[in-house]
Amino acid sequence: MSVQPSVQPAARSSVGRAPAREAAVPFVPHVAVDSPRLAGLRATYAPLWERIAAGAVGRELDGELPVEQVAWLKAAGFGAVRVPREHGGEGLSLPEVTQLWIELAAVDSNLPQAFRGHFALVEDRLWQHARGSDQARWFDRFAAGEIAGNAWSEVGATEIGTQRTVLTRLAGGDYRLDGTKYYTTGTIYAEWVDVYALRDEGDEGDEGEGGAGVGGADDFAIAIVDTRRSGVSVVDDWDGFGQRGTGSGTTSFDAVRVPAEDVLAFEERFPHQTALYQLNLLATLAGIGRAALADAVTEVRRRERNYSHANAARVRDDAQVLARIGEIAAAVYAAEAATLRVAEALQAVADSAHGDPERTRRLVEVGEIESSTAQVVVTDLVLRATNDLFDTLGASATARGRALDRHWRNARTVSSHNPRILKARVVGDHLVNGATPPYAWSIGATRRDR
């Protein structure tokens, strides 16, 4: 794999940068999943969270990708926490994994989102395994620390329902993958990438130039591609104002050979994928809110400067400031509670793999509506919390070296992925008209009359 990192600015001086974080606040209200195995993992991961947090502000200011931090997570088995214990993982439930995502996001919000595509592939392999398809080779890879990225979206005015990225069948039965994907979150860190492509079954031989629609039936497929293969190139060109460390840049495939066993029918994908992708973003938002609350509490505690017309001599005793801190805490609490409720709904789907298909369909619908509803409210709660923290401080809080604005920028970026106004409409249409929510959707150019 060819990896081309973006040009990074020279290292910044530590002058003006926020001092090292003090001891954690004694109590940050949150909703805890009650699980002995999760408690054990929390204890195991606590030192790792501290190591990751130590450089988070510096990475934000310097535009540095968390390559080393992802490597630490791989080595610690983070990518295998959902894998069954008998296959080398931790066997956590989705609510338990979601709690870990929230806690990781609270120390660096880039990291759980960077693992978003990976956990989706893990969930798909778990679904197939539960339905009788042996996934030991994938579980072994995950347990060994290998992770997957995501490559689904295409940039530009590609018409919705089409794909420029094409899998062409070769004479020997394998495929050749050609195309370019954008927003390939996490792929720059990954050994594998989950690619959505058009499959061309036309047989023109190993050296053929077959394309979509040539010589055979076409359909959509998922290719699980080894990023270490010749022809795979990953570029860190994501230029959003937030979540800069997610590695959400461009991945290109130039005549990449993909074994037939790693090309999967899209319609066989695990049914709760849309809601799971959103769950990861909800957990990331909840973690951002928790980080913003912790920073607000720390800054208020140590602030010595105050206004002449304040309500108390010390900022930390000002009733209005304390009320604002309480409001932020309540918003974070509610955001986390809503997120974990979605996780429970999706766990019910995962547990239904052996059951009646109609029951699974109903559970998927519940999960989708739950995730859409939560997205609307969690987005509002966290954006408000990351903005309101500045009400508790003075103008000095806007100093770039403190990087307190990162919370709002990161939350705004995360919540822009799947527009909440569309999600609100989906929920309303379902409630009023019984409309089925969209389980799989895409973005691109739409057909217009004029």
Side-chain angles (χ1 to χ4, degrees), residues 274-275 278-279 282 342 366-376:
T274 303
Q278 187 57 52
L279 174 62
L282 290 169
V342 175
V366 169
E368 186 59 38
I369 293 299
E370 290 254 9
S371 70
S372 296
T373 304
Q375 183 185 350
V376 176

Side-chain angles (χ1 to χ4, degrees), residues 342-354:
V342 175
E344 291 169 357
L346 298 192
Q347 184 61 52
V349 180
D351 291 340
S352 75
H354 295 296

Side-chain angles (χ1 to χ4, degrees), residues 35-330:
S35 161
R37 60 185 175 181
L38 182 57
L41 273 182
R42 277 201 182 100
T44 298
Y45 283 137
L48 178 56
W49 293 166
E50 291 181 7
R51 289 173 67 199
I52 291 171
V57 172
R59 290 191 297 275
E60 177 78 20
L61 294 174
D62 296 336
E64 178 187 349
L65 289 176
V67 175
E68 185 175 26
Q69 290 68 32
V70 171
W72 296 344
L73 289 165
K74 289 180 180 180
F78 184 73
V81 293
R82 182 94 171 98
V83 172
R85 294 184 68 88
E86 61 269 25
H87 289 282
E90 295 292 340
L92 297 189
S93 68
L94 282 172
E96 291 168 332
V97 171
T98 300
Q99 190 71 68
L100 288 181
W101 287 344
I102 292 170
E103 292 169 8
L104 179 57
V107 297
D108 187 335
S109 64
N110 294 286
L111 293 172
Q113 189 181 350
F115 276 78
R116 184 179 181 227
H118 171 74
F119 278 99
L121 181 59
V122 171
E123 195 67 20
D124 184 62
R125 299 299 85 196
L126 286 168
W127 179 262
Q128 308 305 334
H129 179 71
R131 293 172 66 85
S133 175
D134 183 13
Q135 300 298 317
R137 68 188 182 103
W138 284 107
F139 292 155
D140 288 346
R141 288 165 177 164
F142 301 149
E146 295 185 2
I147 67 170
N150 177 267
W152 282 44
S153 297
E154 295 185 358
V155 73
T158 303
E159 185 177 318
I160 289 177
T162 64
Q163 286 288 311
R164 293 174 180 165
T165 303
V166 178
L167 282 160
T168 304
R169 171 82 77 169
L170 302 174
D174 289 342
Y175 290 84
R176 188 190 72 218
L177 179 64
D178 297 276
T180 300
K181 296 288 189 177
Y182 197 54
Y183 302 118
T184 59
T185 302
T187 301
I188 201 166
Y189 310 114
E191 290 75 25
W192 302 90
V193 58
D194 184 339
V195 187
Y196 181 59
L198 184 67
R199 176 164 51 184
D200 172 22
E201 295 294 350
D203 186 357
E204 297 206 6
D206 285 352
E207 304 303 321
E209 297 296 330
V214 179
D218 301 328
D219 62 3
F220 294 108
I222 300 296
I224 308 177
V225 181
D226 190 331
T227 59
R228 296 157 290 191
R229 280 188 176 270
S230 173
V232 179
S233 177
V234 186
V235 182
D236 176 32
D237 57 355
W238 164 239
D239 64 352
F241 60 59
Q243 294 297 93
R244 298 284 297 153
T246 56
S248 298
T250 301
T251 301
S252 299
F253 306 95
D254 182 11
V256 179
R257 196 178 189 98
V258 183
E261 64 180 351
D262 292 337
V263 175
L264 317 168
F266 175 73
E267 62 269 18
E268 296 175 5
R269 186 85 165 178
F270 71 108
H272 47 301
Q273 64 168 347
T274 303
L276 183 78
Y277 281 126
Q278 187 57 52
L279 174 62
N280 177 271
L281 298 183
L282 290 169
T284 302
L285 282 169
I288 291 171
R290 194 191 286 193
L293 173 61
D295 276 350
V297 169
T298 298
E299 293 289 339
V300 166
R301 278 178 169 176
R302 65 189 181 199
R303 182 168 170 77
E304 295 297 331
R305 288 167 59 85
N306 203 359
Y307 293 94
S308 60
H309 57 300
N311 299 295
R314 295 192 309 175
V315 174
R316 64 186 297 164
D317 297 324
D318 191 305
Q320 285 183 290
V321 170
L322 296 177
R324 183 65 86 208
I325 292 291
E327 290 167 356
I328 295 171

Side-chain angles (χ1 to χ4, degrees), residues 127 130-132 271 347-364:
W127 179 262
R131 293 172 66 85
Q347 184 61 52
V349 180
D351 291 340
S352 75
H354 295 296
D356 173 45
E358 177 57 25
R359 180 173 181 273
T360 295
R361 186 199 65 76
R362 291 195 302 270
L363 289 171
V364 170

